[in-house]
Amino acid sequence: MSTSTKGRWKHDGVRVVPGNQLDPNTAQTPGMDRKAAINFARVGAQKLWAGTVHIHPDAKTGAHHHGPLESVIYVVRGKARMRWGERLEFTAEAGPGDFIYVPPYVPHQEINASPTEVLECVLVRSDGEAVAVNLDIEPVEKPESVLWIDPIHRA
């Protein structure tokens, strides 16, 4: 390994972003606190954004979508209730260890389904910049519950 390669990788190689140094100056949606760990501005990420999301007990976010970006939410602690659709007419729940996938442009809302516990999640998106388009949607009163069906391992 040449000295020039070693020197370049020292500061342009692996990056460790301490959990207590996340950046709250990222796109926000009412009802949640997003903090960026990995993005273009912080580490030069070209194709993904990663950070955390906290939603207070019994709270919900405003309806929003993330434009052309794909999102993955990993539930660390608490109980997440997702609503989605043109009028947030569909719903599903996730708990610790569960992953949630949100396709591009899908209007959605995150809800903390616990009256006492903070909902803590890790969020990853498919671009180095944050995109959050807040929407003014009148949600249906009773959404339809949707269970995921594994298209690869159907019984």
Side-chain angles (χ1 to χ4, degrees):
M1 176 186 316
S2 72
T3 308
S4 62
T5 302
K6 182 179 175 187
R8 186 183 84 230
W9 285 350
K10 180 177 181 178
H11 296 292
D12 291 337
V14 172
R15 318 284 168 74
V16 175
V17 178
N20 64 356
Q21 294 180 22
L22 304 187
D23 185 5
N25 297 311
T26 188
Q28 298 292 337
T29 295
M32 68 174 19
D33 299 317
R34 284 191 194 103
K35 291 184 179 176
I38 307 298
N39 61 18
F40 179 76
R42 301 195 88 206
V43 301
Q46 300 287 318
K47 297 179 182 175
L48 57 87
W49 182 103
T52 61
V53 174
H54 291 141
I55 302 175
H56 297 288
D58 254 352
K60 61 185 175 184
T61 70
H64 60 284
H65 69 72
H66 300 288
L69 308 185
E70 293 178 290
S71 298
V72 173
I73 301 166
Y74 174 77
V75 180
V76 175
R77 179 176 292 123
K79 187 169 198 168
R81 180 176 299 128
M82 298 292 292
R83 287 186 66 172
W84 71 93
E86 289 184 18
R87 296 204 44 224
L88 305 177
E89 63 268 32
F90 305 110
T91 188
E93 292 193 354
D98 292 344
F99 288 83
I100 301 165
Y101 171 68
V102 182
Y105 297 103
V106 172
H108 62 282
Q109 173 186 53
E110 290 96 343
I111 299 166
N112 184 340
S114 169
T116 58
E117 191 176 15
V118 172
L119 173 60
E120 297 180 22
C121 301
V122 172
L123 171 61
V124 178
R125 291 214 196 92
S126 62
D127 190 79
E129 293 297 329
V131 174
V133 179
N134 295 317
L135 303 169
D136 186 15
I137 291 178
E138 185 63 39
V140 297
E141 197 169 311
K142 297 214 179 238
E144 174 186 343
S145 187
V146 178
L147 296 177
W148 180 70
I149 299 168
D150 184 340
I152 299 170
H153 303 99
R154 291 181 188 210

